[in-house]
Each structure stands twice: as structure tokens, then as C-alpha cells.
Amino acid sequence: MLARVTRKMLRHAKCFQRLAIFGSVRALHKDNRTATPQNFSNYESMKQDFKLGIPEYFNFAKDVLDQWTDKEKAGKKPSNPAFWWINRNGEEMRWSFEELGSLSRKFANILSEACSLQRGDRVILILPRVPEWWLANVACLRTGTVLIPGTTQLTQKDILYRLQSSKANCIITNDVLAPAVDAVASKCENLHSKLIVSENSREGWGNLKELMKHASDSHTCVKTKHNEIMAIFFTSGTSGYPKMTAHTHSSFGLGLSVNGRFWLDLTPSDVMWNTSDTGWAKSAWSSVFSPWIQGACVFTHHLPRFEPTSILQTLSKYPITVFCSAPTVYRMLVQNDITSYKFKSLKHCVSAGEPITPDVTEKWRNKTGLDIYEGYGQTETVLICGNFKGMKIKPGSMGKPSPAFDVKVCTSPSRRMFNNPICTLPTYRLPPYKLSLL
């Protein structure tokens, strides 16, 4: 794990040293929007004023989502939906916070009743970008069960490893991966419940769509302590087997306010689109907690495979104000004729997952009039470093420390002659980050 993190930090550290000099190029888009922060005045005040109280008991579903429902009912929130889903077939679904609450309570009852899950039981969730993925996230919060997301690219061997390592009690997936689960289920003594998201029934599985039709939306959210385990994320396994990283109810449910409020700079009027795969912690960052902490709309487009033109058309057609994607995606997007698209609503672009090169950010700026604000974090943390609105972006730099961390760049004694920074050491300043490798 340390080797994986060190290599990743080394790549970013090298970015600090890169210098790029570009000629004077006039932006092709005249609509060059000023990046004025909505939630803070400048970086210095953000660092100085940031405080985060940690209550003894905290549950994101009850203390955040249900509070937005109350504000929605009282007319104290813009009319944005809480969740907005589309797919390539033209299907579309929008939920208010009230509808999200009702549907997630139905799902919670299914977990507690049909699946007989108890507080603390572990649930593996392997689904693509379908609405049920978001409902499962919230339902696990309401029941106090521990969510374990997985990418849909997992093989039969990967699924077996995760089921056995996590001692999962339940798995939720679709038609594509159900056969792989059945092939290994007999080797997983803790697994006793299986839910499938499908139009068809499957022997030994509960059909979620059918169960939802008959489930009650009356459910009392469990009272969870802030330091109880909420979710477990498997790392990518760059060095050895993937490791399990645990997050508490507060480490993401409260800690990701750093991302939502400052890096993403979201408000209840914003529509946030994050393209991350549902199996990784980045999806929890920008497709669940960060936007909903701020009362913003979570937008998602279910594309079976990456299509640059579909991404560009979606940004042009829908009122997306904040866009988050990996540098590889931006690199592919700028290879297209972006000037033929008009992103009338888009005002903030961010990137994470790997270093973004200065040439990509320059091309994106020249074609859209918008900067790309890079962020850096790990599965074990929230945002550690980032470029924030109002800050001058230096080409090749991943920005400055987020309010939650003190960060230092260390130099290896054996390489001091080259002045080569090889790692960043984040020091936690706040209590919610009670994390561990299981």
C-alpha cells in the first residue's frame, strides 16, 4: 500500500517541478467566465476560517439528506432535483430529496426484512451507473449496514476475493455479474442474501425491482455514532492484493464538506456531474457526499462505454454547472472540435485520479474559456491538495493543501543532491479521519 501511495505521490511531486511556457493564445470562446468562489472569499480565509464540529452521533441520511427534504418542503431550497439520471436511450429520471428519501427507505426495509441484515452487516454493491446504485448507498446509511462498492469490471476471482476478505453478508448486482457470484457463493460462508437489479427473476436471488413495489416507505433511521464504520473501499491493488480501507460515518459524511464546499464550490443551485466509475471512492466523493452535503443536484449519464461526443453533447444539452472527470477524459475531449459545442451552464471544471498535463489544461481553456482545477486525495482521505477558485493555477501543480490537512513536501536524504521531492506527508488536523486498513 505504501509503495502504491509513494509512487502516486512521486508522479504528483514531479508535476511540481515541471515548467511550461506557452505562447500567447487567444481563447476561442469569448465567454471566459471569471472563477469567483461562491462559498469563500479567498484561499487564505478558507484555511483560517474552516472549522468542522464532530457530534457524538451522526448519520448522513438523517442529518443531511432528510434536512434537505425539510428545506425543500418549506420552500427554502431552489427547485433543483436531488438526483438526475439519463441514459443513451433517452430515458430520464429525476428525484427530489423527498422522493430520494421515500425510495431509500423502501430499500432500507428490504435490507432489514427481506435480506434479514443487521446493523454492522456488510453489503457488497456492484452496479453500473443506474439509479439503484444511489438508493443502495442511502439505504445502507439508514440501516447502519456497511457498504462495500465494487467496479463492474471485477472478474469471478475478484468477486470471490472481496466476498471472502470482507466477510460480506449480502451482495447486490445485475444480470451480467450474477453468474459469477453464483459460481463462488458456496465458498463464502458469510454470504446469505443476494439482490439482483433486473427485469427478470433469478433462482436464489431477490429481485429488487419487484421487492421495491411492495416495500413500505416507513422506516426509522438508525442512530449511528460518528466513528462507526460506514463503508469499506478496496484499493486498486497497485502493490499486492487490493486492501480494504474503512471510512466512518463522519470521515466522509462530514469530512467531504471540504470537497463540496471548497474544491467543488457547490451550492443548492448547482448541477454536478462526476464521471467516475461507481466502484471507486471518487464516486462517493463527487457523486454522493460532496454534492448532497451542499444540497446540489447529482447528475449522471449511464453510458455503457466512454464516448467523447456523448460527453460533449451532454455538457451542451443539460444545465450542468460543475463537471468532474479524470485527466484521461479531458485529454480525449480536447482532441475533438469542442468549439462547435456551447456549454452555456458550465462554470467549474475539476479533475483528479492522475496528474493532468499543462497542455491539456491549456487546450481546454482555449476551447471553453474554463480552467481545470486539479485535486489530489487518496482512498483513505478526502481532498488533500487542490487548486481552488480565485487561486492562480500554476501549470503542472496540484495546488495547495485543503483546509483539513497540513501538507509537507519531503526530500529523500539519498537524493537531496537532485532536490527531488518524493512524497507528500499529510497531517490530519481534524478528528473525523479515524481510518484504518482492515
Side-chain angles (χ1 to χ4, degrees):
M1 177 64 188
L2 180 59
R4 178 182 67 84
V5 173
T6 302
R7 284 197 295 271
K8 188 173 183 181
M9 288 178 170
L10 175 59
R11 291 196 299 269
H12 278 282
K14 288 181 179 177
C15 287
F16 276 126
Q17 296 179 308
R18 285 200 299 258
L19 294 176
I21 301 175
F22 296 96
S24 176
V25 182
R26 181 175 60 87
L28 298 177
H29 273 241
K30 295 181 179 180
D31 182 20
N32 199 325
R33 283 145 279 192
T34 304
T36 303
Q38 301 178 107
N39 295 316
F40 57 98
S41 34
N42 53 56
Y43 176 77
E44 288 70 24
S45 66
M46 174 186 74
K47 287 281 287 185
Q48 183 177 354
D49 299 340
F50 177 71
K51 294 179 181 178
L52 190 62
I54 310 299
E56 181 180 2
Y57 293 92
F58 177 79
N59 186 287
F60 188 81
K62 178 179 180 293
D63 298 316
V64 176
L65 297 179
D66 290 349
Q67 295 303 310
W68 282 115
T69 295
D70 292 341
K71 291 181 181 180
E72 194 176 67
K73 290 180 178 178
K76 297 180 180 179
K77 180 193 169 298
S79 57
N80 260 0
F83 179 73
W84 191 346
W85 176 89
I86 63 171
N87 67 10
R88 64 184 304 174
N89 299 325
E91 296 175 302
E92 188 171 333
M93 186 177 295
R94 301 188 199 187
W95 295 333
S96 63
F97 277 101
E98 183 177 7
E99 291 168 326
L100 174 66
S102 176
L103 291 168
S104 64
R105 285 190 290 271
K106 285 189 172 189
F107 204 138
N109 282 324
I110 292 171
L111 295 181
S112 298
E113 297 171 8
C115 298
S116 301
L117 295 177
Q118 304 295 316
R119 179 175 178 165
D121 283 348
R122 299 178 173 189
V123 180
I124 289 184
L125 175 67
I126 312 174
L127 286 174
R129 299 177 188 89
V130 292
E132 289 83 0
W133 185 86
W134 279 264
L135 290 182
N137 272 259
V138 183
C140 285
L141 290 168
R142 294 191 182 279
T143 56
T145 49
V146 179
L147 180 72
I148 308 174
T151 173
T152 54
Q153 297 176 351
L154 295 177
T155 64
Q156 180 176 307
K157 180 180 177 181
D158 296 328
I159 293 171
L160 174 62
Y161 173 73
R162 282 158 175 75
L163 284 168
Q164 291 181 336
S165 300
S166 67
K167 298 180 180 179
N169 310 98
C170 175
I171 189 166
I172 305 170
T173 190
N174 58 10
D175 290 311
V176 177
L177 289 173
V181 175
D182 284 338
V184 301
S186 61
K187 301 177 183 178
C188 307
E189 59 181 5
N190 296 96
L191 183 64
H192 62 74
S193 298
K194 298 181 292 185
L195 290 176
I196 190 168
V197 178
S198 172
E199 299 296 335
N200 306 309
S201 60
R202 185 178 181 88
E203 185 178 355
W205 292 72
N207 186 290
L208 184 62
K209 292 181 181 294
E210 289 300 317
L211 291 169
M212 286 288 287
K213 293 177 183 178
H214 307 288
S216 168
D217 65 355
S218 177
H219 181 273
T220 301
C221 185
V222 297
K223 189 177 182 181
T224 51
K225 286 195 171 185
H226 77 86
N227 57 0
E228 286 184 44
I229 293 180
M230 175 202 72
I232 296 173
F233 296 88
F234 277 85
T235 62
S236 55
T238 305
S239 175
Y241 284 102
K243 312 298 190 300
M244 290 186 289
T245 300
H247 272 281
T248 65
H249 281 273
S250 61
S251 65
F252 265 8
L254 290 173
L256 280 170
S257 61
V258 172
N259 296 40
R261 182 181 175 190
F262 300 117
W263 184 49
L264 301 175
D265 196 36
L266 293 165
T267 72
S269 299
D270 283 306
V271 178
M272 166 85 197
W273 184 19
N274 168 49
T275 64
S276 298
D277 185 280
T278 53
W280 307 115
K282 185 60 178 68
S283 197
W285 274 32
S286 299
S287 295
V288 180
F289 294 100
S290 299
W292 282 341
I293 284 171
Q294 296 297 107
C297 171
V298 171
F299 180 92
T300 187
H301 189 173
H302 177 35
L303 288 169
R305 60 181 181 278
F306 176 73
E307 299 171 354
T309 55
S310 294
I311 300 286
L312 295 170
Q313 289 169 359
T314 301
L315 287 170
S316 179
K317 180 178 179 180
Y318 293 91
I320 297 156
T321 59
V322 181
F323 179 62
C324 176
S325 201
T328 300
V329 173
Y330 283 106
R331 191 175 299 113
M332 296 179 72
L333 292 179
V334 296
Q335 294 173 4
N336 290 264
D337 181 17
I338 298 180
T339 56
S340 61
Y341 299 91
K342 300 298 180 183
F343 309 143
K344 297 179 181 179
S345 300
L346 190 61
K347 60 184 180 181
H348 190 36
C349 301
V350 297
S351 179
E354 59 183 284
I356 191 165
T357 56
D359 65 307
V360 172
T361 58
E362 185 73 4
K363 289 177 182 177
W364 182 261
R365 183 189 303 115
N366 290 336
K367 294 183 177 183
T368 67
L370 294 165
D371 284 308
I372 299 174
Y373 292 78
E374 185 174 9
Y376 169 72
Q378 298 167 218
T379 304
E380 299 86 350
T381 68
V382 296
L383 185 77
I384 294 176
C385 292
N387 286 294
F388 301 88
K389 281 186 179 179
M391 178 190 296
K392 183 179 179 180
I393 299 177
K394 297 179 181 180
S397 170
M398 62 182 180
K400 296 183 178 181
S402 82
F405 294 93
D406 292 321
V407 179
K408 296 180 181 179
V409 178
C410 300
T411 303
S412 168
S414 63
R415 298 187 180 182
R416 279 179 181 161
M417 67 175 67
F418 303 108
N419 192 28
N420 181 23
I422 65 166
C423 65
T424 54
L425 297 180
T427 301
Y428 301 122
R429 302 174 62 210
L430 298 168
Y433 303 98
K434 186 177 181 181
L435 309 181
S436 63
L437 291 178
L438 300 181

